[in-house]
Coordinates of all heavy atoms in Angstrom, one line a residue:
I316 N 15.8 1.0 -12.1 CA 17.1 1.7 -11.8 C 17.9 1.8 -13.1 O 18.2 0.8 -13.7 CB 17.9 0.9 -10.7 CG1 17.2 0.7 -9.4 CG2 19.3 1.6 -10.5 CD1 17.7 -0.2 -8.4
A317 N 18.1 3.0 -13.5 CA 18.9 3.2 -14.8 C 18.3 2.4 -16.0 O 19.0 1.8 -16.8 CB 20.4 3.0 -14.6
G318 N 16.9 2.4 -16.1 CA 16.3 1.7 -17.2 C 16.2 0.2 -17.0 O 15.6 -0.4 -17.9
V319 N 16.7 -0.4 -15.9 CA 16.6 -1.8 -15.7 C 15.6 -2.1 -14.6 O 15.5 -1.4 -13.7 CB 18.0 -2.4 -15.2 CG1 17.9 -3.8 -14.9 CG2 19.1 -2.1 -16.2
L320 N 14.7 -3.0 -14.9 CA 13.6 -3.4 -14.0 C 14.0 -4.4 -13.0 O 14.8 -5.4 -13.5 CB 12.4 -3.9 -14.7 CG 11.7 -2.9 -15.7 CD1 10.4 -3.6 -16.4 CD2 11.2 -1.6 -14.9
Y321 N 13.7 -4.2 -11.8 CA 14.0 -5.2 -10.7 C 12.7 -5.5 -10.0 O 11.8 -4.7 -10.0 CB 15.0 -4.5 -9.7 CG 16.3 -4.3 -10.2 CD1 16.7 -3.2 -10.9 CD2 17.3 -5.3 -10.1 CE1 18.0 -3.0 -11.4 CE2 18.6 -5.1 -10.5 CZ 18.9 -4.0 -11.2 OH 20.2 -3.8 -11.7
I322 N 12.7 -6.6 -9.3 CA 11.6 -7.0 -8.4 C 12.2 -7.0 -7.0 O 13.3 -7.5 -6.8 CB 11.0 -8.4 -8.8 CG1 9.8 -8.6 -7.8 CG2 12.0 -9.5 -8.8 CD1 9.1 -10.0 -8.1
I323 N 11.5 -6.3 -6.1 CA 11.8 -6.4 -4.7 C 10.7 -7.3 -4.0 O 9.5 -6.9 -4.1 CB 12.0 -5.1 -4.0 CG1 13.1 -4.2 -4.7 CG2 12.3 -5.1 -2.5 CD1 13.1 -2.8 -4.2
D324 N 11.2 -8.3 -3.4 CA 10.2 -9.2 -2.8 C 10.8 -10.0 -1.7 O 12.0 -9.9 -1.4 CB 9.6 -10.2 -3.8 CG 10.7 -11.0 -4.4 OD1 11.9 -10.8 -4.2 OD2 10.3 -11.9 -5.3
S325 N 9.9 -10.8 -1.0 CA 10.4 -11.7 0.0 C 10.3 -13.1 -0.5 O 9.2 -13.5 -0.9 CB 9.6 -11.5 1.3 OG 10.1 -12.4 2.3
N326 N 11.4 -13.9 -0.5 CA 11.3 -15.3 -0.8 C 12.4 -16.0 0.1 O 12.8 -15.4 1.1 CB 11.5 -15.6 -2.3 CG 12.8 -14.9 -2.8 OD1 13.8 -14.8 -2.1 ND2 12.7 -14.6 -4.1
A327 N 12.7 -17.2 -0.1 CA 13.5 -18.0 0.7 C 14.8 -17.3 1.2 O 15.0 -17.3 2.5 CB 13.9 -19.3 0.1
P328 N 15.5 -16.5 0.5 CA 16.7 -15.8 0.9 C 16.3 -14.5 1.8 O 17.2 -13.9 2.3 CB 17.4 -15.4 -0.3 CG 16.9 -16.3 -1.4 CD 15.5 -16.6 -1.0
G329 N 15.1 -14.2 1.8 CA 14.6 -12.9 2.5 C 14.2 -11.9 1.5 O 14.0 -12.1 0.3
V330 N 14.1 -10.7 2.0 CA 13.7 -9.5 1.2 C 15.0 -9.0 0.5 O 16.0 -8.8 1.1 CB 13.0 -8.5 2.0 CG1 12.9 -7.2 1.1 CG2 11.7 -8.8 2.6
H331 N 14.9 -9.0 -0.9 CA 16.0 -8.5 -1.7 C 15.6 -8.2 -3.1 O 14.6 -8.6 -3.6 CB 17.1 -9.7 -1.8 CG 16.6 -10.9 -2.4 ND1 16.8 -11.2 -3.7 CD2 15.9 -11.9 -1.9 CE1 16.3 -12.3 -4.1 NE2 15.7 -12.8 -3.0
P332 N 16.4 -7.5 -3.9 CA 16.1 -7.1 -5.3 C 16.7 -8.2 -6.2 O 17.6 -8.8 -5.8 CB 16.7 -5.8 -5.5 CG 17.9 -5.8 -4.6 CD 17.4 -6.6 -3.4
E333 N 16.0 -8.3 -7.3 CA 16.5 -9.2 -8.4 C 16.1 -8.6 -9.7 O 15.0 -8.1 -9.8 CB 16.1 -10.7 -8.2 CG 16.7 -11.6 -9.2 CD 16.2 -13.1 -9.0 OE1 15.1 -13.3 -8.3 OE2 16.9 -14.0 -9.4
R334 N 16.9 -8.8 -10.7 CA 16.6 -8.3 -12.0 C 15.2 -9.0 -12.4 O 15.1 -10.2 -12.3 CB 17.6 -8.6 -13.0 CG 18.7 -7.6 -13.0 CD 19.7 -7.9 -14.1 NE 19.1 -7.5 -15.4 CZ 19.7 -6.6 -16.3 NH1 21.0 -6.2 -16.0 NH2 19.2 -6.3 -17.3
L335 N 14.3 -8.3 -12.9 CA 12.9 -8.9 -13.2 C 13.1 -9.8 -14.3 O 12.5 -10.9 -14.4 CB 11.9 -7.8 -13.6 CG 10.5 -8.2 -13.9 CD1 10.0 -9.0 -12.7 CD2 9.6 -7.0 -14.1
S336 N 14.0 -9.6 -15.4 CA 14.2 -10.5 -16.5 C 14.7 -11.9 -15.9 O 14.4 -12.9 -16.5 CB 15.1 -9.9 -17.5 OG 16.4 -9.6 -17.0
V337 N 15.6 -11.8 -14.9 CA 16.1 -13.1 -14.4 C 15.0 -13.9 -13.6 O 14.9 -15.0 -13.8 CB 17.3 -12.7 -13.4 CG1 17.7 -14.0 -12.6 CG2 18.4 -12.1 -14.2
R338 N 14.1 -13.1 -12.9 CA 13.1 -13.8 -12.3 C 12.1 -14.4 -13.2 O 11.6 -15.5 -13.1 CB 12.3 -12.8 -11.4 CG 11.2 -13.4 -10.5 CD 11.7 -14.5 -9.5 NE 12.6 -13.9 -8.5 CZ 12.2 -13.3 -7.5 NH1 11.0 -13.1 -7.2 NH2 13.1 -12.6 -6.7
I339 N 11.8 -13.7 -14.3 CA 10.9 -14.2 -15.4 C 11.5 -15.5 -15.9 O 10.8 -16.5 -16.2 CB 10.7 -13.1 -16.5 CG1 9.9 -12.0 -16.0 CG2 10.0 -13.8 -17.7 CD1 8.5 -12.2 -15.7
A340 N 12.8 -15.6 -16.2 CA 13.4 -16.7 -16.7 C 13.3 -17.9 -15.8 O 13.1 -19.0 -16.2 CB 15.0 -16.4 -17.0
K341 N 13.3 -17.6 -14.4 CA 13.1 -18.7 -13.4 C 11.8 -19.3 -13.5 O 11.6 -20.5 -13.4 CB 13.4 -18.2 -12.1 CG 14.9 -17.9 -11.8 CD 15.1 -17.4 -10.4 CE 16.6 -17.0 -10.2 NZ 16.8 -16.4 -8.8
Y342 N 10.8 -18.5 -13.8 CA 9.4 -19.0 -13.9 C 9.2 -19.7 -15.3 O 8.2 -20.3 -15.5 CB 8.4 -17.9 -13.7 CG 8.1 -17.6 -12.3 CD1 8.8 -16.6 -11.5 CD2 7.1 -18.3 -11.6 CE1 8.6 -16.4 -10.2 CE2 6.9 -18.0 -10.2 CZ 7.7 -17.1 -9.6 OH 7.4 -16.9 -8.2
A343 N 10.0 -19.5 -16.2 CA 9.9 -20.0 -17.6 C 10.1 -21.5 -17.6 O 9.7 -22.2 -18.5 CB 10.8 -19.3 -18.5
A344 N 10.8 -22.1 -16.6 CA 11.2 -23.5 -16.5 C 9.9 -24.3 -16.5 O 9.9 -25.4 -17.0 CB 12.0 -23.8 -15.4
G345 N 8.8 -23.8 -15.8 CA 7.6 -24.5 -15.8 C 6.6 -23.8 -16.7 O 6.9 -23.1 -17.7
D346 N 5.3 -23.8 -16.4 CA 4.4 -23.1 -17.1 C 4.0 -21.9 -16.4 O 2.8 -21.6 -16.0 CB 3.1 -24.0 -17.3 CG 2.1 -23.5 -18.3 OD1 2.5 -22.6 -19.1 OD2 0.9 -23.9 -18.3
G347 N 5.0 -21.0 -16.1 CA 4.7 -19.8 -15.3 C 4.0 -18.7 -16.0 O 3.8 -18.8 -17.3
D348 N 3.4 -17.8 -15.2 CA 2.6 -16.7 -15.8 C 2.8 -15.5 -14.9 O 3.2 -15.7 -13.7 CB 1.2 -17.1 -15.9 CG 0.3 -16.1 -16.7 OD1 0.9 -15.3 -17.3 OD2 -0.9 -16.3 -16.6

Side-chain angles (χ1 to χ4, degrees):
I316 302 170
V319 178
L320 295 179
Y321 291 85
I322 179 174
I323 299 176
D324 59 351
S325 181
N326 55 29
V330 174
H331 62 97
E333 182 174 27
R334 284 184 74 129
L335 187 54
S336 59
V337 170
R338 184 64 60 83
I339 293 288
K341 290 177 181 177
Y342 278 91
D346 191 20
D348 192 11

